[in-house]
Amino acid sequence: MNLRQLEAFRATIRCGSITEAAKMMHISQPSVSRLIADLEHSAGFPLFVRVGRGLTPTVEGRHFYEGVEGMFVGIDRLQDLAKSIRTSQGGTISIGAIQSIATIELPKAISRLYHENPDIEFVVQSRNTPAILDAVQMRQIDLGIVGREPDYAGVEVLYQTSVAYVCLMPEDHPLAGDYGPVDLEELAKKETFVTFGASYPDSMMSIDPELSDKLRARSRLSVANMPLAGALVREASVLAIADPFSAEQAVRMGGVVFRPIKQKLTYFVAVVAARREEMSREALKFVDLFGQQLQLRVDKLEKLSAAVS
């Protein structure tokens, strides 16, 4: 007894004839007859008797059909569930993002999916990279947008890109109107920088340890995040090494500009999850949208840096 035999039996009951059942199943009439015969052999009793040109179920056949129909109701529900999952536009996407991305780039990507799919809910948090990685591994959030040089242990990378750091300075600084990259080695001899504490280690920007020491030696300002560094550049008339996304936020606030840097300091951005297989279709679509948008932004920044170099 197999599913195909039961499908033939069910179709014959519903259609009242082998011929119509064959049309419904898109197979030949002899194939339906053979499936019915095999099912009767397995069941051990006749399922139909011929009445004129048609078939009518036996008493045993009617009773058996009740069980078969109950089984197919379950299958129909599974098919409906699969369709619902396949075409679902709903669900919740929880995201943890670093501050440099959370203010401008992330809302742009969310906006697109938010308007295209009114049933999707978003839960967004702004944290630092270590906290985001921990939350992703513990399944507290679906997606993490982090800024750190790979690799990212314990999570799967869904998207990754990189872009050069820039030098953030007051708009009235003597170097603000110049072109070309600034040399941090030269600036470290005479300028004062905002530097970063233990929560933002030098390894995140691949800076030379000796150069970092020089910058710290002249610094009286140490902060834990880029937005605060940008604010201090504006208010205290100092310089800072900033990722270009945070630099753009600072520029929008006014009073500061940024210049490319001679030294190759790389800022990494990645979207991570516990496992791709566990992600919903909507979450994966968001990753694609976000990746496309961020890559366009990175390409634009690289062209801008090349133009002023």
Side-chain angles (χ1 to χ4, degrees):
M1 192 178 299
N2 59 52
L3 183 61
R4 196 61 171 165
Q5 294 169 359
L6 296 175
E7 287 176 338
F9 171 60
R10 186 191 191 207
T12 303
I13 288 281
R14 289 184 165 191
C15 296
S17 74
I18 297 289
T19 302
E20 293 302 318
K23 291 179 181 179
M24 176 183 287
M25 296 180 67
H26 304 289
I27 59 177
S28 66
Q29 181 176 336
S31 295
V32 175
S33 297
R34 184 169 58 254
L35 288 168
I36 295 296
D38 290 343
L39 181 61
E40 288 180 324
H41 178 75
S42 297
F45 49 82
L47 298 171
F48 294 98
V49 293
R50 183 168 295 281
V51 179
R53 294 185 177 181
L55 295 176
T56 187
T58 62
V59 173
E60 296 86 355
R62 290 194 190 96
H63 188 58
F64 185 64
Y65 175 72
E66 293 176 1
V68 171
E69 189 62 30
M71 183 199 72
F72 273 98
V73 168
I75 293 176
D76 290 342
R77 287 178 180 173
L78 286 176
Q79 291 174 335
D80 290 342
L81 176 60
K83 181 179 179 181
S84 175
I85 294 172
R86 183 172 64 251
T87 62
S88 174
Q89 300 298 310
T92 299
I93 303 175
S94 56
I95 306 169
I98 48 178
Q99 290 181 316
S100 60
I101 299 298
T103 305
I104 298 177
E105 302 302 331
L106 180 59
K108 287 180 181 178
I110 288 177
S111 176
R112 293 177 60 183
L113 203 58
Y114 177 83
H115 290 292
E116 292 175 5
N117 300 274
D119 295 328
I120 294 180
E121 297 182 2
F122 290 89
V123 178
V124 183
Q125 306 171 16
S126 179
R127 302 183 183 182
N128 61 29
T129 290
I132 292 172
L133 291 173
D134 287 344
V136 170
Q137 291 182 53
M138 292 187 290
R139 271 69 170 182
Q140 295 175 344
I141 55 177
D142 299 320
L143 296 170
I145 303 175
V146 298
R148 173 177 289 182
E149 186 173 2
D151 63 89
Y152 310 95
V155 297
E156 183 172 349
V157 177
L158 306 181
Y159 168 81
Q160 181 178 309
T161 189
S162 62
V163 65
Y165 278 86
V166 296
C167 182
L168 198 61
M169 59 186 65
E171 62 182 3
D172 58 356
H173 191 279
L175 294 175
D178 292 346
Y179 289 93
V182 298
D183 188 342
L184 294 180
E185 290 286 355
E186 293 299 319
L187 292 180
K189 299 175 183 178
K190 54 186 178 181
E191 298 289 345
T192 301
F193 277 75
V194 178
T195 54
F196 301 96
S199 62
Y200 199 88
D202 293 339
S203 60
M204 291 183 67
M205 63 177 73
S206 306
I207 191 171
D208 180 75
E210 292 185 5
L211 176 57
S212 178
D213 290 341
K214 293 176 183 178
L215 297 177
R216 292 181 190 277
R218 293 183 55 86
S219 175
R220 293 187 293 124
L221 297 169
S222 180
V223 299
N225 59 66
M226 287 294 187
L228 180 53
L232 286 172
V233 169
R234 179 174 55 253
E235 301 299 334
S237 298
V238 294
L239 277 60
I241 301 171
D243 69 85
F245 306 108
S246 297
E248 181 181 1
Q249 295 174 29
V251 169
R252 290 190 179 195
M253 294 293 292
V256 300
V257 297
F258 61 86
R259 294 269 307 278
I261 295 174
K262 178 181 178 181
Q263 287 75 17
K264 301 301 181 183
L265 308 183
T266 305
Y267 184 71
F268 295 90
V269 179
V271 181
V272 300
R275 290 184 63 195
R276 178 184 289 271
E277 291 79 6
E278 298 176 1
M279 303 306 302
S280 67
R281 288 165 54 88
E282 292 78 15
L284 291 174
K285 182 177 181 180
F286 170 80
V287 173
D288 288 340
L289 289 174
F290 177 78
Q292 293 170 15
Q293 174 190 303
L294 195 64
Q295 197 58 53
L296 289 174
R297 180 69 181 135
V298 168
D299 294 343
K300 183 178 179 180
L301 288 167
E302 290 178 345
K303 290 180 181 179
L304 179 62
S305 295
V308 299
S309 297

